[in-house]
Amino acid sequence: KGTHALRDRILVELRKRIGGVTERALRDTAGKDGVLKASDASVRKEVQAMLEDGLIERRKPTEQERRQHKLAGGVREVLVSIS
């Protein structure tokens, strides 16, 4: 249950702001009182597993996404849900 629940919470967060979530921003929502209700290490591990399983992808943000989500120039990659 724990892994699937965490995957579901990660997917919900990624779908809220398509093209606007960096891995760091996602990990900032970790913690037992955070949105993801999981440790930073668990979130990192699950993100890697989801990338390997093809559920999410890591890519460069488009210029429109940069403007829409106010992504700084230093942001090189965002996480997006494929499903």
Side-chain angles (χ1 to χ4, degrees):
K1 179 194 174 219
T3 300
H4 291 296
L6 179 54
R7 281 187 179 207
D8 290 343
R9 288 191 294 271
I10 289 171
L11 289 172
V12 165
E13 290 305 305
L14 294 180
R15 290 175 182 148
K16 280 183 190 175
R17 293 182 35 177
I18 296 170
V21 181
T22 63
E23 187 168 353
R24 176 75 253 169
L26 185 65
R27 287 178 28 218
D28 284 346
T29 64
K32 75 173 189 175
D33 295 328
V35 174
L36 296 179
K37 308 244 183 280
S39 70
D40 182 72
S42 295
V43 171
R44 256 186 283 146
K45 182 178 172 186
E46 195 57 36
V47 164
Q48 188 58 43
M50 292 172 76
L51 286 164
E52 291 169 6
D53 292 347
L55 294 172
I56 62 176
E57 70 177 354
R58 187 182 280 138
R59 64 166 172 78
K60 282 183 70 165
T62 65
E63 287 306 313
Q64 180 182 351
E65 289 167 341
R66 284 187 182 281
R67 287 190 302 275
Q68 179 182 354
H69 300 296
K70 297 179 176 72
L71 298 174
V75 173
R76 292 178 296 212
E77 297 178 323
V78 292
L79 296 172
V80 290
S81 169
I82 293 179
S83 53

